[in-house]
Amino acid sequence: MPSKFSYQPCREFNVVVLGAGGVGKSCLTAQFVYNEWIESYDPTIEDSYRTQKSVDGRQVVLEILDTAGTEQFVAMRDLYMKTGHGFLLVFSICSKASFEELETLRDDIIRIKDDENIPIVIVGNKADLEEQRAVDRAKAFSVSRGWGAPYYEASARTRTNVDEAFIDLCRQMLRRDDTHDDLHDDPSSQRAEDATKRHRRRKRKDRCTIL
Amino acid sequence: MLNQQDMRASLQVAPLTIQKTRTGTRGGPSERTESTSRCSDTQMTPPATPNRLQEDRNASLKNAPVFYNFLRAIYPFQLDHGASDASVTLPLDEGDVILVHSIHTNGWADGTLLANSARGWLPTNYCEPYEPEEMRSLLKALLNFWDLMRSPSINDSEMFGNQEFMKGIIAGVRYLLERTQCLAKDALPLQRHEGLRRSRRALLAELSSLVRTAKRLQNAQRMIGTDVNDIVDEMILKAFEITTKGVRFLDVWEDDRRSRVAPAVTVMNTLLEETYVLLTPPADSAVFDAIQAHPVDVGARANANGNASDRSPSAAGEVAPDLIRHSNRLSSGRQQSTNVRRLSQNSLVQANRFSSSISHRLSLAGPSCSSQPCNLVSERLNTCHDTFLSHLGSFIGRLQLQSQSRPSLAVAIRQSATSGGELLLVVDVVCAHTSISLDALEQARDTMYNRIQDLVHTARDILTNPEPEMEEDVIVPHDNGRLLWAATGCVKATGECVAKTRWVIERIGDFEFEFENGGLGIDFGLSGFAIPDDKTEAPAAELTSIAEYPMSEAPTDSTAVSVTSSADTHARSLSIDKPLPEIPRANSPVSGRPALRASHRSPHSQPCPIDNSASSVVSSVSSLRPDLPPLPKISTSSLPAENYSPTDQSAMQDTDFRAFRSESMTASSSGSASTYLSRDSESSLMSQTSTRATTPEMTQAPKNQPSLSNLSTTDSLAPTDDDEVESKLLAKTYAHELMFNSEGQVIGGSLPALVERLTTHESTPDAVFVSTFYLTFRLFCTPVTLTEALIDRFEYVGEAAHIAAPVRLRTYNVFKGWLESHWRDETDREALALIKEFAEFKLTAVLPTAGSRLLDLANKVSSIDGTLVPRLVSSMGKTGTSTFVPAETSLPAPAISRSQANALANWKLGGSSPSILDFDPLEIARQLTIKQMALFCAVTPEELLGSKWTKLGGVGAPNVKAMSTFTTGLTNLVVDTILQFEEVKKRATAIKYWIKVANQCSQLHNYDALMAITCALSNTSIQRLKMTWDFVPVKRKEMLKSLQEAVDIRQNFKTLRSKLQNQVTPCLPFLGMYLTDLTFVDVGNPATKTSDTGLTVVNFDKHTRTARIIGELQRFQIPYRLAELPDLQAWLTAQIDRVREKENAGSNAQATHYRKSLLLEPRETQQLRTPIEGPSSAASSSMFSWIRSNTGVSAQV
């Protein structure tokens, strides 16, 4: 019980889910944020895509930005990418084209974030449809190694590896957050703001222990 | 007052099993008491016997807590000191069925006896769960009925205006009869068995009596001064009575069935069976009738039971003869007082109606609960939650109004934190109380805890670090924002946590717990911040230790207990077999002899129930208050609105809501343009459209009555008129295959049930339901299956002559509406042959005019392109909140000069193209808006269903695609215009220009263009042009910032949503937002639901949500009243096309732009990133990564 009461600052991250239309990325998102306590899912409210998770004992608030439905608004992708702290690149193991598209997406992300090491996780969705597989696992893994981004084969339908993929991304973001905390060279105002917020929090925490 | 004192004390006092013995040894006042106490001595106290038998179940109950809504007594139960604590225990007879509200951990349940609607505590070990398959539907219906009747949140007149709420009970009775093959009056089992026939008749008589009462209620609604609550009480009683009769009927039936099968039953079963039989006719039919005549005449009933148990020992053998004798003696002896008690409790039903229960299982303001702090954990949870929210709410409210002084902030925070701590304590109690896995609850609890601490921290931060330049004791607005955020975070986390806690309580059953006041709360105090591990550990430990006394671990020698100290009493009574939960009227919890007091007080006990009921009225009234603010809404709706509208938010929402309602009503009045104004277009679907059909048969239908309910016009019906009752009540129906939410909306149902709903004979179907059905039916059935279902409905309703006419007319109307306004030839054609056949033969045979009309329509529909009658679904918003601009109003004059017009004319003739910067931003914004609105208005509802626009490159949704293409083109045009200039200053001018256009778009409420332009301006290729931005005035940058905020994608378009919510038309929302919403409604909700009876039904809730989003979108499909400038339009389109073509060659517009941007303002070397980023080779590869992307796959579609 006492462990419950240890206070930890909540970290907030924006996770952007990207991928071609029809790869089922919205299913992944819905699965991940879906609250089993709620009988019906209403995506029109403010925290429809917000969720809090515990990652290695640390509380993380995630806001999932999913372009689902607006893939045709190509120009908006830039906006989504700019907002993200971590990226889930989703393809369908049944569609080679959706896999090849990831490279463009990654290039865009790196260009927009101006950062080679931005946290990315690659997800091969529809893993339950093994018989329709069009993308070799080996190939996916080799791309994963090349990019230094973990690869998960997931299935939103059977809820396999959904949480794992997101949690992995959280770990990356947390690790990065810890090492980058003192650096203020990030051009993104959001991150800078976050950093100062964190600083303030940390100071506060120090004071708390003194009290 | 004294009484209240007593009650509070009694709540904290240990229940008193043991005192029975004491009463005996103290020389109880009567012989009877003596004997019973001796009896209990030798018998290990009454609960002991069943306890042994029930041990297995208790164990399993503990492992997997399942909450049974209904229990059935398998032993009689009567307390010897029953009269002394009138409001508490509930005497049981074998076979009694009880509606359970909550179960205390010690095994006592708070329940209502269906036989007489008395409420009180009863020992669960005397009962078994009751849910036979045959009764399931009726029991479920009773639960719903009970919840509905007692729910204060439902508008009475809305609910009682039609007779929908009666359907469940009727369907339940029907289901029972159907399952037992006794539906028809001349069914075989009925012919065989006289008793069965009788109990069936009794059941139906009771049902028709309820129907009549319901009708009376409907009338009472219209008359002022009638006390609706009296009628509602009566109805609840009647519903109970129906269920009781149903149970009895099933018993007789079971018995009959069993007597045919070889009697291979255990001794135990024999006992049960025997006693059941004895309770029912033929032998006791006289008594039976008496009960019927006086539903609350318990005396007679007790007698009946007496007879039953008198005979049972001989038949039942030696299982528990003493027990039965014991009860026998009691029931005859105590009749009088029992009677009084039960009668007095009936008034509680009425009182309870006002209570604001979330679920009947949770927060009943029952007899044991008063306005004082209550021990029932769910009550406690609600109270704490309410307190906490009211503190936070007022805090948030003040924050938004003005800056506040530091002391008041401190006070408010302190209050909030204290009440939050109390709430957390309750949650911890619940956590400690159950063994089932509670990860989610604990997580929510942690979140809540952290959020509260966030709030406290934030507040403290602000209090201890005053901004130097500010006045000393005023919190600056900036800090307000932080506080607001923290506080709303609290509200949200709390809501979630409480919801989960409730869920858990519901699973494990409600229980009592003694909360000590003060001191124990989790302390968030501003001064002592040290995490209160030590403080909370104490109560937590206590909790677990108490929770560790499970009921089944009773020491076997419990009979010998003789109380010496109160502490001892307390401990044992928790652990010993089923401590009696009565509330002794002791003044203090440390009373050593509560039993004595109880018996002393017995003369005064009669007024008690009255007091109880009075105080529970008080408590329920007071508990109404917290129900009023829609709790979770606090964070979502009031917050954003404050920023933008100074007017009263709730009022705005209200009007908006109403407007939306009226629009959707309008929309559903399918077919006739003349009905678009009718707000009460309830009847329009039926009457107006059908008048156009001019069917002569219409005169048969009672069309002057808005509710065609034949069920409800049974006033003339004599209760003895069995035949008529039967034919009316037992018409074939699928009503039990429908699922409703707490607001009474359909959330699921099988296709036949949905069709039945669509063609209901009572009242017109709900407008939202009808429009949703028409819009979405192709998602859950095919046109052919729908046609078949409708034809089936048309046919089976023929069995029920009294409703056949209106239902058949409605069926025709559904077909008509479909063909006229919702026909989609490409998919629906396959059903056409079937419809024609139906029209020609079946329909014409009954309604000749309608038949020929339908045939006519069916012939026309495939030959005409588009719908026959303009579809009103797509014009939902057109009569609604739109500010109606009379056509005569002159359009605003175009802001275009003669020379600009000339330049355009020149361009048209092949001359050089003018620069966009030459035009007035206002006019550009207007022309863009006209263009986009034309595209937006063309979007049809069908395009938006089933994520059609994402499939096959969007061929199924041409207008959605056109819309997104235009928006994307606009973005690219903006980027292109800026990047086309070599000189920094010109680029800056272009940026300034587009900011102005964006601003004009914002003024026009064109959020689609606003999104496109701000997207372009925050594009990486533009953002990185530092030198250029240096030339953009601060004023413009500020303007851009606020424009960007309006269409911020974060927090699920929170800002934009709140703007749109109160937006009057004309307005062009951002289409992409609706597309995302629709996608997630589609993938986030399963296609089917499982109904209570285990049936897989259509998840209609999903479709209602879809239709609601589409309706919201349609609200904005109203053109702007702006003058179109064809030349400028053509020129703009050409510009967008030119940019698009340029990109088509280079495939990735973003990359092309970026390359151009790099050429204009090359990367500065010092811009190269952090040392962590690795060797410069990596950086340079990233710099040229766009080259690769050019060769990559084409942009996603």
Side-chain angles (χ1 to χ4, degrees):
Chain A
M1 256 210 177
S3 69
K4 269 188 190 170
F5 300 105
S6 59
Y7 174 71
Q8 286 172 336
C10 248
R11 304 251 169 144
E12 289 203 35
F13 294 114
N14 296 334
V15 171
V16 180
V17 183
L18 292 165
V23 299
K25 58 181 186 302
S26 43
C27 302
L28 284 180
T29 306
Q31 271 284 9
F32 183 64
V33 297
Y34 186 79
N35 192 335
E36 62 198 276
W37 309 81
I38 295 168
E39 207 176 71
S40 81
Y41 183 65
D42 181 2
T44 64
I45 48 177
E46 182 189 333
D47 45 6
S48 303
Y49 306 105
R50 279 173 85 81
T51 183
Q52 182 174 12
K53 295 281 162 175
S54 169
V55 180
D56 306 328
R58 300 165 73 170
Q59 294 296 315
V60 177
V61 173
L62 295 178
E63 165 132 14
I64 317 288
L65 296 157
D66 191 325
T67 59
T70 57
E71 290 89 351
Q72 291 177 3
F73 293 81
V74 186
M76 274 188 69
R77 224 159 57 194
D78 198 284
L79 201 62
Y80 276 98
M81 289 180 181
K82 201 188 288 288
T83 324
H85 300 129
F87 297 85
L88 211 67
L89 300 187
V90 187
F91 69 96
S92 156
I93 67 158
C94 312
S95 157
K96 211 168 170 61
S98 73
F99 177 61
E100 284 160 353
E101 211 169 288
L102 295 192
E103 192 175 4
T104 323
L105 291 174
R106 178 175 181 261
D107 292 341
D108 282 349
I109 292 167
I110 289 173
R111 173 169 54 76
I112 286 162
K113 299 304 285 187
D114 201 8
D115 182 351
E116 281 266 296
N117 300 316
I118 191 83
I120 289 179
V121 164
I122 307 167
V123 178
N125 196 19
K126 306 196 180 175
D128 51 319
L129 302 174
E130 185 61 42
E131 68 279 7
Q132 293 174 38
R133 178 186 283 275
V135 180
D136 275 352
R137 196 170 291 174
K139 197 166 173 210
F141 270 117
S142 81
V143 167
S144 152
R145 259 195 309 279
W147 291 354
Y151 173 57
Y152 286 85
E153 291 211 337
S155 164
R157 190 172 312 159
T158 61
R159 191 151 197 168
T160 323
N161 270 347
V162 178
D163 283 3
E164 286 79 354
F166 277 98
I167 297 296
D168 187 305
L169 191 60
C170 288
R171 286 208 184 93
Q172 287 189 50
M173 289 187 294
L174 278 170
R175 203 181 309 141
R176 205 183 137 79
D177 214 43
D178 294 342
T179 46
H180 281 225
D181 233 8
D182 313 312
L183 307 168
H184 294 282
D185 54 348
D186 198 304
S188 151
S189 58
Q190 169 69 30
R191 278 190 51 85
E193 200 182 294
D194 275 1
T196 50
K197 214 190 285 172
R198 273 194 302 277
H199 260 279
R200 210 179 296 144
R201 278 225 187 115
R202 198 174 324 116
K203 256 190 271 162
R204 215 181 300 148
K205 197 177 172 187
D206 289 344
R207 206 180 305 133
C208 302
T209 46
I210 293 163
L211 272 169
Chain B
M1 272 305 95
L2 191 132
N3 195 269
Q4 291 208 341
Q5 272 267 305
D6 282 354
M7 282 193 58
R8 183 196 284 142
S10 66
L11 286 169
Q12 294 170 345
V13 139
L16 27 77
T17 328
I18 307 94
Q19 287 78 25
K20 227 185 285 177
T21 322
R22 283 197 81 83
T23 318
T25 50
R26 296 269 316 174
S30 76
E31 167 77 7
R32 209 181 303 116
T33 322
E34 198 79 317
S35 69
T36 37
S37 59
R38 226 184 293 127
C39 166
S40 59
D41 271 343
T42 52
Q43 287 280 319
M44 302 178 59
T45 69
T49 314
N51 201 14
R52 191 159 37 81
L53 294 163
Q54 296 291 313
E55 238 160 39
D56 287 348
R57 174 141 31 84
N58 286 346
S60 67
L61 260 174
K62 206 182 117 212
N63 290 339
V66 181
F67 187 87
Y68 292 102
N69 286 308
F70 291 93
L71 293 177
R72 184 163 202 184
I74 50 179
Y75 303 100
F77 168 71
Q78 192 79 267
L79 275 188
D80 54 341
H81 49 76
S84 63
D85 47 340
S87 63
V88 182
T89 54
L90 194 59
L92 298 177
D93 298 332
E94 302 106 301
D96 276 350
V97 175
I98 302 111
L99 168 64
V100 183
H101 308 296
S102 66
I103 299 183
H104 191 282
T105 39
N106 62 8
W108 285 87
D110 171 17
T112 300
L113 193 59
L114 294 191
N116 54 15
S117 73
R119 184 163 174 178
W121 291 100
L122 53 113
T124 50
N125 57 338
Y126 278 63
C127 306
E128 58 184 11
Y130 185 70
E131 45 180 10
E133 164 61 25
E134 291 86 356
M135 286 291 291
R136 197 175 292 167
S137 183
L138 182 57
L139 293 178
K140 174 71 190 166
L142 181 65
L143 270 186
N144 287 343
F145 193 76
W146 168 262
D147 282 345
L148 192 68
M149 285 301 185
R150 298 175 61 262
S151 162
S153 63
I154 294 173
N155 180 345
D156 277 358
S157 60
E158 204 172 277
M159 180 172 85
F160 303 130
N162 63 38
Q163 301 282 309
E164 268 318 312
F165 64 102
M166 285 295 304
K167 276 200 162 172
I169 298 272
I170 295 170
V173 171
R174 190 175 190 280
Y175 185 77
L176 170 65
L177 293 181
E178 200 171 51
R179 289 298 301 242
T180 50
Q181 276 128 35
C182 293
L183 194 55
K185 203 187 173 196
D186 49 359
L188 194 64
L190 293 177
Q191 288 180 351
R192 258 192 331 242
H193 196 302
E194 163 69 21
L196 200 57
R197 202 153 58 235
R198 276 194 206 196
S199 55
R200 178 175 179 275
R201 197 185 305 150
L203 172 63
L204 290 179
E206 205 60 58
L207 183 59
S208 82
S209 152
L210 174 65
V211 167
R212 263 178 289 129
T213 315
K215 177 64 184 168
R216 201 146 51 80
L217 181 63
Q218 193 179 8
N219 293 333
Q221 280 290 308
R222 301 195 197 108
M223 289 183 296
I224 301 150
T226 329
D227 191 359
V228 173
N229 289 318
D230 284 345
I231 307 180
V232 167
D233 288 347
E234 193 181 331
M235 289 180 65
I236 291 176
L237 289 179
K238 289 221 157 81
F240 281 170
E241 196 60 31
I242 288 172
T243 314
T244 314
K245 293 277 189 332
V247 169
R248 205 162 294 152
F249 171 79
L250 185 62
D251 289 342
V252 177
W253 182 80
E254 274 284 328
D255 186 48
D256 176 49
R257 195 181 53 104
R258 206 166 303 211
S259 67
R260 302 181 168 274
V261 186
V265 278
T266 64
V267 178
M268 196 59 219
N269 274 341
T270 319
L271 168 71
L272 288 179
E273 285 306 315
E274 291 287 342
T275 46
Y276 286 0
V277 175
L278 287 166
L279 279 175
T280 41
D284 286 340
S285 56
V287 181
F288 180 77
D289 287 341
I291 300 165
Q292 203 186 318
H294 313 279
V296 277
D297 187 349
V298 195
R301 193 174 158 69
N303 261 335
N305 184 49
N307 293 344
S309 25
D310 263 350
R311 260 174 270 160
S312 58
S314 53
E318 52 289 329
V319 178
D322 286 344
L323 201 68
I324 290 163
R325 242 178 269 129
H326 156 84
S327 103
N328 182 16
R329 226 172 281 141
L330 278 173
S331 57
S332 49
R334 299 274 169 172
Q335 245 180 60
Q336 192 83 27
S337 56
T338 313
N339 207 346
V340 168
R341 180 194 320 164
R342 289 183 177 187
L343 278 171
S344 66
Q345 280 201 341
N346 283 339
S347 66
L348 285 174
V349 176
Q350 179 178 349
N352 282 342
R353 186 170 141 67
F354 294 108
S355 88
S356 56
S357 65
I358 285 116
S359 146
H360 69 284
R361 289 171 288 275
L362 289 187
S363 55
L364 275 182
S368 60
C369 296
S370 67
S371 47
Q372 305 135 9
C374 174
N375 282 8
L376 217 52
V377 81
S378 61
E379 288 285 348
R380 178 77 185 187
L381 181 72
N382 288 344
T383 322
C384 288
H385 189 201
D386 292 341
T387 317
F388 186 41
L389 282 180
S390 65
H391 283 315
L392 279 177
S394 68
F395 175 58
I396 290 173
R398 263 179 290 159
L399 271 184
Q400 289 178 336
L401 283 178
Q402 71 219 11
S403 309
Q404 54 181 328
S405 68
R406 309 169 67 79
S408 78
L409 170 69
V411 170
I413 291 288
R414 196 181 297 274
Q415 277 178 341
S416 303
T418 315
S419 52
E422 276 165 24
L423 181 56
L424 279 172
L425 190 66
V426 181
V427 175
D428 285 344
V429 167
V430 175
C431 277
H433 189 78
T434 168
S435 54
I436 58 171
S437 151
L438 289 170
D439 289 350
L441 175 57
E442 283 179 15
Q443 210 175 69
R445 183 228 177 268
D446 290 350
T447 311
M448 183 180 141
Y449 183 83
N450 286 344
R451 286 297 157 88
I452 297 175
Q453 280 204 324
D454 274 344
L455 176 65
V456 173
H457 284 211
T458 312
R460 199 153 51 137
D461 213 30
I462 289 162
L463 288 176
T464 49
N465 297 331
E467 303 248 347
E469 72 268 34
M470 286 296 158
E471 260 190 67
E472 243 200 12
D473 63 357
V474 174
I475 310 297
V476 292
H478 160 73
D479 288 334
N480 267 358
R482 284 164 57 203
L483 284 173
L484 207 54
W485 168 245
T488 44
C490 282
V491 173
K492 214 167 68 184
T494 308
E496 195 161 324
C497 186
V498 168
K500 288 176 182 178
T501 312
R502 279 192 191 130
W503 185 86
V504 168
I505 293 177
E506 206 163 337
R507 282 285 292 275
I508 62 176
D510 211 342
F511 59 92
E512 275 189 48
F513 186 78
E514 188 179 322
F515 291 90
E516 289 173 46
N517 289 331
L520 288 172
I522 294 161
D523 186 12
F524 293 100
L526 292 167
S527 49
F529 179 72
I531 299 301
D533 282 359
D534 44 345
K535 288 189 184 176
T536 40
E537 223 155 29
E542 194 185 306
L543 297 189
T544 35
S545 71
I546 287 167
E548 270 165 13
Y549 292 129
M551 39 180 159
S552 54
E553 282 178 18
T556 41
D557 57 346
S558 57
T559 39
V561 176
S562 98
V563 188
T564 46
S565 81
S566 69
D568 204 4
T569 318
H570 185 85
R572 295 219 187 169
S573 58
L574 275 172
S575 61
I576 283 166
D577 52 340
K578 311 292 172 253
L580 302 173
E582 329 76 346
I583 296 163
R585 316 223 155 260
N587 271 323
S588 84
V590 275
S591 150
R593 292 164 189 178
L596 191 60
R597 286 163 188 271
S599 56
H600 275 326
R601 274 161 197 273
S602 54
H604 311 289
S605 65
Q606 285 204 0
C608 292
I610 294 152
D611 273 10
N612 283 352
S613 79
S615 64
S616 91
V617 170
V618 170
S619 78
S620 37
V621 166
S622 69
S623 70
L624 256 175
R625 176 193 42 78
D627 202 39
L628 290 175
L631 304 177
K633 282 272 159 71
I634 287 175
S635 63
T636 51
S637 60
S638 73
L639 230 183
E642 285 296 333
N643 297 336
Y644 296 99
S645 77
T647 41
D648 182 11
Q649 167 72 1
S650 65
M652 301 265 284
Q653 270 183 331
D654 203 16
T655 44
D656 189 57
F657 174 67
R658 235 182 289 129
F660 181 59
R661 280 265 302 246
S662 73
E663 283 147 26
S664 40
M665 294 246 196
T666 308
S668 72
S669 58
S670 63
S672 149
S674 64
T675 64
Y676 77 102
L677 276 177
S678 64
R679 208 205 138 105
D680 49 345
S681 57
E682 289 276 87
S683 53
S684 65
L685 186 82
M686 163 71 195
S687 56
Q688 303 233 26
T689 39
S690 50
T691 358
R692 284 204 300 162
T694 56
T695 331
E697 288 82 357
M698 274 293 291
T699 47
Q700 291 171 1
K703 64 176 170 187
N704 51 344
Q705 282 188 344
S707 104
L708 298 172
S709 165
N710 286 56
L711 271 187
S712 52
T713 51
T714 47
D715 290 82
S716 58
L717 205 66
T720 49
D721 224 347
D722 287 348
D723 291 347
E724 213 178 328
V725 180
E726 281 185 41
S727 74
K728 298 205 171 184
L729 298 183
L730 301 178
K732 179 172 176 181
T733 175
Y734 291 93
H736 57 279
E737 292 179 2
L738 274 184
M739 291 168 78
F740 296 89
N741 65 6
S742 55
E743 281 102 52
Q745 288 168 320
V746 178
I747 55 165
S750 62
L751 181 59
L754 292 173
V755 164
E756 191 173 297
R757 175 86 176 176
L758 200 62
T759 57
T760 177
H761 61 282
E762 305 130 352
S763 72
T764 33
D766 171 29
V768 176
F769 177 81
V770 175
S771 52
T772 303
F773 191 93
Y774 272 132
L775 184 59
T776 61
F777 75 86
R778 294 176 194 87
L779 297 174
F780 55 82
C781 68
T782 67
V784 172
T785 50
L786 173 63
T787 310
E788 284 166 356
L790 280 166
I791 295 173
D792 189 39
R793 169 70 168 151
F794 186 85
E795 281 172 350
Y796 77 69
V797 79
E799 294 163 21
H802 61 292
I803 56 167
V807 167
R808 285 180 163 168
L809 205 56
R810 273 186 204 282
T811 313
Y812 157 69
N813 272 308
V814 172
F815 273 120
K816 190 161 148 291
W818 181 13
L819 288 165
E820 280 182 342
S821 313
H822 301 271
W823 191 259
R824 261 174 45 206
D825 204 45
E826 66 271 32
T827 53
D828 299 352
R829 197 184 294 134
E830 56 182 29
L832 203 57
L834 213 55
I835 296 173
K836 279 183 187 168
E837 190 195 310
F838 166 74
E840 204 168 346
F841 300 106
K842 288 174 184 154
L843 184 57
T844 309
V846 187
L847 305 164
T849 322
S852 65
R853 170 94 178 115
L854 189 60
L855 194 60
D856 190 37
L857 275 175
N859 286 327
K860 244 194 268 177
V861 81
S862 48
S863 58
I864 291 173
D865 197 28
T867 52
L868 296 172
V869 176
R871 174 171 323 169
L872 284 169
V873 168
S874 57
S875 62
M876 252 184 185
K878 290 188 182 167
T879 53
T881 46
S882 60
T883 46
F884 185 69
V885 185
E888 313 85 63
T889 313
S890 57
L891 303 174
I896 186 165
S897 70
R898 191 174 297 269
S899 65
Q900 287 162 355
N902 288 341
L904 280 174
N906 183 35
W907 165 79
K908 240 178 130 186
L909 297 168
S912 62
S913 169
S915 163
I916 195 161
L917 304 186
D918 296 342
F919 296 99
D920 188 332
L922 172 62
E923 199 50 41
I924 294 292
R926 281 179 182 166
Q927 296 306 316
L928 282 174
T929 304
I930 293 169
K931 178 90 188 155
Q932 286 180 299
M933 191 46 123
L935 293 171
F936 183 72
C937 285
V939 173
T940 66
E942 278 82 10
E943 292 184 66
L944 301 169
L945 297 174
S947 304
K948 222 169 272 165
W949 68 95
T950 61
K951 290 169 186 160
L952 304 166
V955 278
N959 298 307
V960 172
K961 194 175 160 74
M963 189 86 195
S964 59
T965 310
F966 187 88
T967 309
T968 308
L970 178 58
T971 306
N972 288 335
L973 176 68
V974 175
V975 176
D976 188 79
T977 23
I978 296 167
L979 294 176
Q980 69 177 322
F981 297 110
E982 298 283 330
E983 306 102 291
V984 175
K985 282 193 180 175
K986 281 199 174 168
R987 286 201 297 271
T989 312
I991 289 178
K992 276 186 285 183
Y993 180 82
W994 281 113
I995 293 174
K996 283 185 215 161
V997 176
N999 189 42
Q1000 291 298 344
C1001 287
S1002 169
Q1003 306 282 313
L1004 286 167
H1005 307 302
N1006 178 353
Y1007 297 107
D1008 208 82
L1010 182 60
M1011 176 61 99
I1013 298 170
T1014 53
C1015 246
L1017 293 175
S1018 51
N1019 189 298
T1020 328
S1021 311
I1022 302 298
Q1023 275 297 314
R1024 63 175 294 284
L1025 302 173
K1026 284 212 161 46
M1027 294 193 300
T1028 311
W1029 282 101
D1030 287 343
F1031 282 95
V1032 178
V1034 179
K1035 194 180 91 185
R1036 293 283 164 226
K1037 285 186 197 164
E1038 289 294 321
M1039 183 187 269
L1040 176 61
K1041 207 174 156 197
S1042 71
L1043 291 172
Q1044 281 169 327
E1045 273 163 17
V1047 288
D1048 191 351
I1049 54 170
R1050 278 174 296 172
Q1051 287 170 294
N1052 199 9
F1053 291 102
K1054 179 176 158 185
T1055 321
L1056 183 56
R1057 277 180 206 277
S1058 75
K1059 282 198 169 199
L1060 289 176
Q1061 200 177 19
N1062 303 315
Q1063 187 65 60
V1064 290
T1065 54
C1067 163
L1068 183 58
F1070 174 56
L1071 180 65
M1073 187 182 83
Y1074 295 117
L1075 297 180
T1076 307
D1077 287 352
L1078 287 166
T1079 307
F1080 276 96
V1081 165
D1082 196 29
V1083 303
N1085 293 294
T1088 56
K1089 270 183 187 292
T1090 305
S1091 77
D1092 313 303
T1093 44
L1095 204 72
T1096 303
V1097 297
V1098 175
N1099 183 358
F1100 202 74
D1101 179 54
K1102 173 179 182 162
H1103 302 303
T1104 311
R1105 283 188 189 284
T1106 306
R1108 198 177 295 147
I1109 294 168
I1110 293 177
E1112 178 67 18
L1113 181 150
Q1114 287 176 324
R1115 187 162 83 88
F1116 295 111
Q1117 289 187 322
I1118 299 163
Y1120 283 84
R1121 283 187 50 79
L1122 294 169
E1124 189 172 332
L1125 299 175
D1127 285 357
L1128 191 52
Q1129 290 265 336
W1131 181 80
L1132 268 175
T1133 314
Q1135 296 305 303
I1136 289 174
D1137 289 346
R1138 174 183 58 85
V1139 174
R1140 188 179 304 126
E1141 272 158 35
K1142 208 161 72 180
E1143 272 134 26
N1144 282 346
S1147 95
N1148 187 334
Q1150 306 293 317
T1152 320
H1153 288 147
Y1154 192 65
R1155 182 170 25 171
K1156 199 159 181 187
S1157 170
L1158 278 179
L1159 288 174
L1160 291 170
E1161 291 185 27
R1163 273 179 99 111
E1164 297 163 39
T1165 37
Q1166 69 267 33
Q1167 230 183 328
L1168 275 174
R1169 311 285 71 223
T1170 65
I1172 299 165
E1173 211 166 64
S1176 57
S1177 64
S1180 69
S1181 89
S1182 96
M1183 191 155 91
F1184 295 107
S1185 58
W1186 49 266
I1187 297 172
R1188 262 185 293 154
S1189 59
N1190 268 355
T1191 59
V1193 196
S1194 62
Q1196 67 181 131
V1197 180

